[in-house]
Amino acid sequence: MARASHEGGFAGRGPLAGRRAADEEDASYLRLGKDFSRAKCLMNADVALILERKREIMEAKGQAPKSDFIKAYKYVNQVKQFREKHVVVQVRKELEAFGLEPFEVAQLGNLCPETAAEAKALIPSLENMEGRMLDNAQLTELLQQLAANKQFST
Amino acid sequence: MELTKELLLYPKHFGPNIRNLLREKLIYTVEGSCSGQHGFVVAVTDVVEIGKGRIREGGGLATFPIQYNAIVFRPFKGEVFDAIVTQVNKLGFFAQVGPLQVFVSKHMIPEDMVFDAQGALPAYVSQVSDQQPQRIAKDSEVRLRVIATRVDAAEIFAIGTIKDEYLGLLD
């Protein structure tokens, strides 16, 4: 994979090595750093579901949520594009079936762009990554599916 | 944004309840914390494994390695977010993406948007169109791209731009 070899290139020793690697993080080329290569990317709607459950548990225990939790909770509920659980699950399935990277799945699901051009402008990695079969027609179709689900759940 | 991480804890309360105690202490310590490497820890989802505790020499404390999964929020350069504007002034505006604060400088706002301090809320107003002018004021939702992040020991701060195609005010 392209990314693996890239990281190898920066694995030199010396005080600057770690720092340079951090500077090289760039979402438009899907360079997220080593720690996140195995991480799963969640959409805001996913996070909203998890935090909702967490809030219920905390409430049952009588714990007061922390300020960062409240901020995150408010934020995801304000910006999430899909509300119901089965919709979220379905959207994720459709996106993943497309052979997209997890990061792109999350970004598409969060931003819900309307056209292929918009999607590529917002998420440059859709265009930057070579060796992938992804033409505009397919992307448009995917975005239409997204839009349909979005209206359905609001 | 899920991730495994190891953490050391120093409980003084050994006893049959130690696992629950460790779990609670973990959640209490890491939730809401923030590191430059992993970003904001929003919520611990599950504890994978609590390793064997090691008693430290010279003291009665024990160290437990704990592996857990958590939802973290780590902004990356180039990532696009929908943010909520919190503060507008003549230098630019601040917006909030959950726990993350993003600053968008005046230079990163399109030229046709002008700072307007006349109204009840200071705002950036676009006057190109004859129709309803676009106003970015407190509580507006904007779509922005992160262009750089600054990482402190306990805080991440980002600067963003709305000067690009498809970025800017959301309806």
Side-chain angles (χ1 to χ4, degrees):
Chain A
M1 220 173 91
R3 190 159 99 231
S5 64
H6 182 92
E7 273 176 5
F10 281 97
R13 265 184 241 147
L16 276 176
R19 179 130 177 224
R20 200 186 299 161
D23 286 345
E24 282 302 310
E25 274 171 13
D26 192 340
S28 34
Y29 292 92
L30 288 179
R31 275 181 226 139
L32 307 184
K34 218 164 98 196
D35 288 335
F36 285 86
S37 56
R38 284 185 312 130
K40 208 175 150 193
C41 292
L42 302 179
M43 295 183 282
N44 286 327
D46 294 315
V47 179
L49 290 173
I50 297 171
L51 292 190
E52 181 65 42
R53 252 199 70 201
K54 189 107 188 161
R55 197 186 59 86
E56 281 165 14
I57 295 172
M58 279 208 238
E59 214 161 63
K61 280 189 188 167
Q63 293 166 330
K66 287 193 198 173
S67 73
D68 270 2
F69 180 87
I70 299 171
K71 278 186 200 164
Y73 180 76
K74 269 195 191 154
Y75 172 72
V76 289
N77 279 297
Q78 194 165 352
V79 299
K80 67 183 176 184
Q81 310 271 16
F82 317 101
R83 262 148 243 272
E84 284 155 50
K85 193 176 174 185
H86 67 271
V87 182
V88 179
V89 173
Q90 199 199 332
V91 165
R92 177 165 281 280
K93 238 188 230 160
E94 282 168 8
L95 287 170
E96 276 169 356
F98 236 71
L100 295 168
E101 292 289 319
F103 181 75
E104 294 164 339
V105 169
Q107 285 262 278
L108 279 173
N110 282 345
L111 303 173
C112 283
E114 276 157 24
T115 60
E118 187 182 353
K120 285 185 174 174
L122 293 175
I123 314 165
S125 68
L126 289 174
E127 205 156 36
N128 288 343
M129 298 293 279
E130 283 175 24
R132 242 191 343 197
M133 298 291 287
L134 193 68
D135 57 32
N136 280 352
Q138 281 178 306
L139 196 55
T140 309
E141 195 189 313
L142 180 73
L143 296 174
Q144 278 164 359
Q145 279 177 3
L146 269 183
N149 278 318
K150 188 180 158 188
Q151 280 150 4
F152 171 67
S153 58
T154 39
Chain B
M1 294 156 234
E2 210 174 285
L3 170 100
T4 323
K5 193 171 135 182
E6 247 175 67
L7 192 95
L8 307 167
L9 283 179
Y10 315 96
K12 296 171 193 169
H13 319 272
F14 301 145
N17 208 14
I18 193 161
R19 276 172 186 275
N20 277 335
L21 215 80
L22 279 169
R23 196 173 297 227
E24 260 164 41
K25 186 151 184 174
L26 170 82
I27 290 174
Y28 183 77
T29 5
V30 297
E31 271 185 16
S33 71
C34 167
S35 78
Q37 205 183 1
H38 297 118
F40 299 92
V41 180
V42 178
V44 174
T45 46
D46 66 316
V47 175
V48 181
E49 199 192 324
I50 300 181
K52 281 185 183 161
R54 283 229 310 269
I55 296 182
R56 302 178 99 198
E57 267 178 62
L61 295 169
T63 313
F64 290 84
I66 301 186
Q67 265 190 318
Y68 63 96
N69 283 313
I71 304 177
V72 300
F73 172 53
R74 168 76 152 85
F76 288 99
K77 187 184 145 205
E79 200 174 347
V80 177
F81 293 108
D82 294 340
I84 320 292
V85 176
T86 51
Q87 207 190 83
V88 181
N89 60 37
K90 64 176 199 263
L91 300 171
F93 65 83
F94 288 94
Q96 201 84 36
V97 184
L100 171 77
Q101 197 174 44
V102 187
F103 177 66
V104 179
S105 145
K106 205 172 106 187
H107 305 287
M108 296 300 169
I109 298 171
E111 270 98 35
D112 57 272
M113 298 204 89
V114 184
F115 180 63
D116 170 23
Q118 307 296 319
L121 290 168
Y124 280 89
V125 186
S126 135
Q127 288 160 331
V128 239
S129 51
D130 307 331
Q131 313 124 14
Q132 184 79 7
Q134 283 201 320
R135 291 179 74 90
I136 296 182
K138 190 172 181 288
D139 296 328
S140 308
E141 245 179 83
V142 291
R143 182 159 285 187
L144 54 85
R145 166 173 284 126
V146 169
I147 44 178
T149 54
R150 194 192 70 202
V151 175
D152 282 356
E155 208 179 14
I156 299 183
F157 190 79
I159 51 173
T161 177
I162 55 168
K163 202 178 182 176
D164 213 342
E165 280 178 279
Y166 303 107
L167 299 176
L169 195 69
L170 294 171
D171 303 324

